[in-house]
Structures are given as C-alpha cells and as structure tokens.
C-alpha cells in the first residue's frame, strides 16, 4: 500500500509547517495560554484567511476545500509538532463533524462560520457518571412550545471558554439528541480552568437553558451514531497531533544527547542511551502506523472504525508516556523547566494519554469489539475518576 502523500497533500503539509515555523512562537503561545483568553485569536484568523486549514477538510458548499481524513491528519500532525493550543480538533474535527452529519440550515450556517474562523465550537458530552462513554447522558432536554429546555451538568468541556457555540448532548423522550447552544445563553454557566497542558476547559451547568426549535441538530433521538463517529474522528486527529509532538520530542532528545557531554564525551555515545532512543523511535513508528490505520478506517463500518480508533488510542497513549518520560529523563533536570520546550511537550503528551479515554479503557474497548459471540462482557466499567 502506498502511504506517500499526493502532490496536493505534500503542498498542504509544507504550507502549514512553514507558516507555523514563521509565525507560531512557542514562548508567545505559552504566554497567551496562561493569560487573557488563553489563545491567540489572530493566529486562528490566519488559519482561516491565510492558510485555509479551517476549511481544508470541509465541503466546498460551506466554503471548504473538500478534503478528507488524510488532510485532517496532515494538519493535526503539523499542529502537534508546533504545540498549537488553538482549538482545531474541538472545532474543525469534532464540531464540524457533528454539524456535517446533522445537516440542515442551522448546521450549514455554523459550518460556514467555522471555515471563516468566526465560529468556535466545544463538545459538551461527558458527565460525572458517564465514564468515557459519550452516550451515557443524564442531561435532559424537553420540548416546551417552540423551544427546547436543557438541564444538566457537563464536565471537562475542552475549549468551552473560547467557544462561540456549545454542542450539547441531551436525552429527550426519543433518546440521545444533540443541540447547539450559544455561549451567552441564559441559564448557561461555565466554571473555567486551565488544564495541565495549558489549554482551557470548563465544567458547564445548564439550568433551564432555553433554545429555539432549530437548535436541535439532526433527528431527535438519533444522535448516538453521529456522536460515536465524531469521537473516533477526534481520536484519529489527536493521534496525529501526538505523532507530531513525539517527532519533535525525539528529535530534540537526540540533538541534546549529541551535545551534552559526560566524562568528556557526548552522552549519545553511551550504548545504553542509544538503545533507549531506539526504543523511543520504535514507539513512534508504531504510533505512526496506528494513526494511518485509524485515519484510513474512518469511513469504514462502525465496528471496524471503532476497533481502529481503540487500537490507535491505546498505542498512542502507551507511546506518549514512554517517549515523554524518557525524553525528560534523558534531558535531566532541564527536562522539566519552563525554558526548555521538552517540558511543555511532555505536559501535552501526558494530557493526550487520557483525552477521550486512557490506555486501559481502549484496551477494554478493543477487547469488547473483538469478543466472539456468546462470550460474556467484562463487568468492570472504567470511569473518569479511575
């Protein structure tokens, strides 16, 4: 199988990489992440207007370039290599994926806003008792006249403090449904915080939030398949992001080992450290293969897609921990300083290990998806507190 990108895909990779190298300064991005809004809106506008990556994988009908999963993978890997904190995955992958499947006039308008950089979305799905299953929802949505009224609490909603719109799951009489809620809606309360990897998230309380009838995205009670597909697409994107980050971490570690001297020679000459870096390289290569697999399986049937996503997330989670921890160790005490990029990448790789479920969760998920008929399921349920 040919894994080489097409000429257009290579041009996309080069364009994004060159833009980030010239315009995305790590020190400035960390400062922006810690203060004010927590991101750089001008960079987000440049993503839309100068580079066009916000619409690269979206349909031409909403101003996009009609790309697909491979284009998303290329962009996400480049963003991971530059440690970009702007909400590409939350908006362009998860948000746009849910809106595209829902269809309708309201969804189309929001998709055009995403392409232009005017709309930023956050996916409010997980709850205290949902574990890592986005379909286990206690939030309710009831119809009152021409409106829907939402009540419930969502936790760890990444990018919520930055979002113009929240995509909220709620249970109606017909089943799991999806709603769009303006960030300034009455009854909507955000409890924002900064995550370990310098991103913004919030716990969201919906207390009688009233939204118009067209806030329902898609068919009432039919959101589960769309939600599960969006989560698998998010896993594929953060896998690519992790690959970009791990490439940078490994390259920096090798360079440092060539420069750092001990006993009068570079530590890269020590065989035990050479073996360690080879092991890191092997973990990276396995992660690349798993990312290719899930990316190419996103359009497959749900069971095949979910197996590939579970395998990718388990592989990426293990590799992110191995590469991140050994990179810090090989850098010595410098690895945890604010001045050195390696510490910031380590934080992001640590967060990725648990984003959309940790390794153990996805190993159990993969086992369940491959379990022969008649074999009972494991009764253990992993929750967000474990």
């Amino acid at each position: 199988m040919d894994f080489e990108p097409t000429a257009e895909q290579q041009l996309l990779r080069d364009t994004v990489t060159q833009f980030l190298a010239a315009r995305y300064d790590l020190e400035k991005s960390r400062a922006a992440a810690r203060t004010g809004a927590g991101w750089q809106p001008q960079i987000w506008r440049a993503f839309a207007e100068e580079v066009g990556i916000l619409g690269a994988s979206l349909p031409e009908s909403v101003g996009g370039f009609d790309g697909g999963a491979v284009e998303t993978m290329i962009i996400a890997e480049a963003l991971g290599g530059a440690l970009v904190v702007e909400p590409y995955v939350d908006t362009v992958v998860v948000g746009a994926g849910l809106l595209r499947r829902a269809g309708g006039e309201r969804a189309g308008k929001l998709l055009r806003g995403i392409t232009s950089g005017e709309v930023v979305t956050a996916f409010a799905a997980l709850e205290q008792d949902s574990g890592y299953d986005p379909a286990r929802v206690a939030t309710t949505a009831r119809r009152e006249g021409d409106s829907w009224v939402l009540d419930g609490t969502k936790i760890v909603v990444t990018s919520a403090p930055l979002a113009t719109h929240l995509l909220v799951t709620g249970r109606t009489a017909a089943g799991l449904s999806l709603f769009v809620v303006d960030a300034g809606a009455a009854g909507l309360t955000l409890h924002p915080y900064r995550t370990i990897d310098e991103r913004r998230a919030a716990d969201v309380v919906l207390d009688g939030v009233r939204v118009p009838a067209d806030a329902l995205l898609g068919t009432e009670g039919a959101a589960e398949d769309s939600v599960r597909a969006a989560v698998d697409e998010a896993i594929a994107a953060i896998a690519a992001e992790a690959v970009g980050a791990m490439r940078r971490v490994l390259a920096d570690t090798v360079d440092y080992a060539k420069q750092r001297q001990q006993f009068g020679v570079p530590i890269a000459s020590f065989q035990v450290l050479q073996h360690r870096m080879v092991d890191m390289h092997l973990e990276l290569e396995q992660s690349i293969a798993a990312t290719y697999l899930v990316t190419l399986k996103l359009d497959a049937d749900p069971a095949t897609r979910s197996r590939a996503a579970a395998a990718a997330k388990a592989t990426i989670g293990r590799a992110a921990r191995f590469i991140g921890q050994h990179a810090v160790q090989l850098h010595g005490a410098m690895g945890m300083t604010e001045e050195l990029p390696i510490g910031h990448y380590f934080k992001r790789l640590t967060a990725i290990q648990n984003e959309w479920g940790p390794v153990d969760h996805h190993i159990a998920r993969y086992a369940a998806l491959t379990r022969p008929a008649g074999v009972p399921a494991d009764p253990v349920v992993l929750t967000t507190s474990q």
Side-chain angles (χ1 to χ4, degrees), residues 292-301 304-305 308:
Y292 283 171
L293 176 64
V294 66
T295 299
L296 296 174
K297 295 296 184 183
L298 288 178
D299 290 329
D301 63 273
T304 301
R305 181 199 70 221

Side-chain angles (χ1 to χ4, degrees), residues 314-386:
T315 302
I316 288 290
R318 182 195 66 220
R321 178 172 181 171
F322 186 91
I323 292 174
Q325 290 184 348
H326 286 294
V328 169
Q329 186 179 50
L330 288 170
H331 276 80
M334 292 179 63
M336 292 303 293
T337 61
E338 291 290 320
E339 291 76 17
L340 215 61
I342 197 75
H344 300 288
Y345 280 88
F346 175 66
K347 291 177 183 178
R348 179 59 186 148
L349 290 173
T350 300
I352 285 176
Q353 293 170 41
N354 294 290
E355 205 166 325
W356 301 112
V359 171
D360 288 349
H361 168 77
H362 284 284
I363 289 175
R365 183 185 178 207
Y366 187 88
L369 289 165
T370 55
R371 182 178 294 110
V375 176
D378 187 342
V380 175
V381 177
L382 293 174
T383 67
T384 51
S385 62
Q386 289 181 300

Side-chain angles (χ1 to χ4, degrees), residues 56 65 82 92 103 118 123 125-126 139 173 176 230 273 304 342 386:
F65 298 102
V92 179
E118 297 172 356
F123 183 37
L126 295 182
T139 296
L176 187 67
L273 299 188
T304 301
I342 197 75
Q386 289 181 300

Side-chain angles (χ1 to χ4, degrees), residues 95-114:
L98 290 167
L99 292 166
R100 192 175 63 248
R101 289 185 181 85
E105 184 177 348
R106 183 77 184 275
K109 183 178 179 180
L110 290 172
L111 284 168
R112 286 188 286 274
I114 289 174

Side-chain angles (χ1 to χ4, degrees), residues 183-204:
L188 180 69
T189 303
L190 269 61
H191 300 282
Y193 45 84
R194 195 162 45 123
T195 58
I196 188 176
D197 54 341
E198 307 289 2
R199 301 193 179 216
R200 296 301 173 95
D203 295 338
V204 177

Side-chain angles (χ1 to χ4, degrees), residues 62-314:
V62 295
F65 298 102
D66 232 10
V70 174
E71 284 72 22
T72 298
M73 178 187 72
I74 289 170
I75 294 167
E77 182 177 335
L79 298 180
L83 208 61
V84 170
V85 298
E86 281 64 36
Y88 176 80
V89 174
D90 289 330
T91 297
V92 179
V93 180
V94 180
L98 290 167
L99 292 166
R100 192 175 63 248
R101 289 185 181 85
E105 184 177 348
R106 183 77 184 275
K109 183 178 179 180
L110 290 172
L111 284 168
R112 286 188 286 274
I114 289 174
T115 302
S116 67
E118 297 172 356
V119 170
V120 176
T121 65
F123 183 37
L126 295 182
E127 301 180 1
Q128 189 64 47
D129 296 324
S130 65
Y132 294 101
D133 185 352
R136 292 176 61 189
V137 170
T139 296
T140 61
R142 65 183 187 277
R143 190 69 182 263
E144 287 189 1
D146 294 332
S147 303
W148 291 94
V149 179
L150 281 67
D151 291 281
T153 301
K154 303 290 185 177
I155 63 171
V156 198
V157 183
T158 54
S159 301
L162 317 179
T164 59
H165 299 79
L166 302 182
L167 302 181
V168 181
T169 51
R171 195 158 294 282
T172 68
L176 187 67
S177 302
L178 184 67
F179 300 86
V180 57
V181 179
D182 291 349
L188 180 69
T189 303
L190 269 61
H191 300 282
Y193 45 84
R194 195 162 45 123
T195 58
I196 188 176
D197 54 341
E198 307 289 2
R199 301 193 179 216
R200 296 301 173 95
D203 295 338
V204 177
V205 178
L206 302 111
D207 185 8
V209 175
R210 187 175 295 272
V211 295
D214 69 349
L216 173 66
L217 297 173
T219 304
E220 180 186 353
E224 183 170 346
D225 289 345
S226 177
V227 166
R228 294 197 184 282
V231 169
D232 286 343
E233 288 172 351
I235 288 172
I238 64 169
E241 181 190 345
V243 165
M246 288 187 289
R247 283 188 195 275
R248 170 67 187 273
V249 166
L250 179 57
D252 283 2
T253 302
V254 171
D255 287 344
Y256 178 79
K258 290 177 179 178
Q259 297 171 21
R260 176 75 166 89
Q261 292 202 354
Q262 193 76 26
F263 307 114
V265 296
I267 62 173
S269 64
F270 300 154
Q271 190 176 56
V272 66
L273 299 188
Q274 292 174 1
H275 289 173
R276 183 80 58 84
M277 288 182 279
V278 168
D279 288 341
M280 293 166 67
H281 176 75
L282 291 175
E283 290 286 343
L284 173 60
E285 289 299 315
Q286 291 181 54
S287 297
I288 293 170
T291 301
Y292 283 171
L293 176 64
V294 66
T295 299
L296 296 174
K297 295 296 184 183
L298 288 178
D299 290 329
D301 63 273
T304 301
R305 181 199 70 221
S306 294
R307 283 197 301 270
K313 190 60 174 62

Side-chain angles (χ1 to χ4, degrees), residues 20-64:
L20 293 171
R23 299 276 296 277
Y24 204 83
D25 180 75
L26 183 62
E27 186 175 341
K28 289 182 180 178
S29 78
R30 294 305 100 179
R34 294 191 186 96
T35 62
W39 65 319
Q40 301 176 83
Q42 72 276 13
I43 291 291
W44 189 254
R45 288 194 297 272
F47 283 169
E49 299 168 5
E50 299 180 36
V51 196
I53 60 174
L54 302 187
S57 57
L58 300 185
E60 291 183 6
S61 60
V62 295

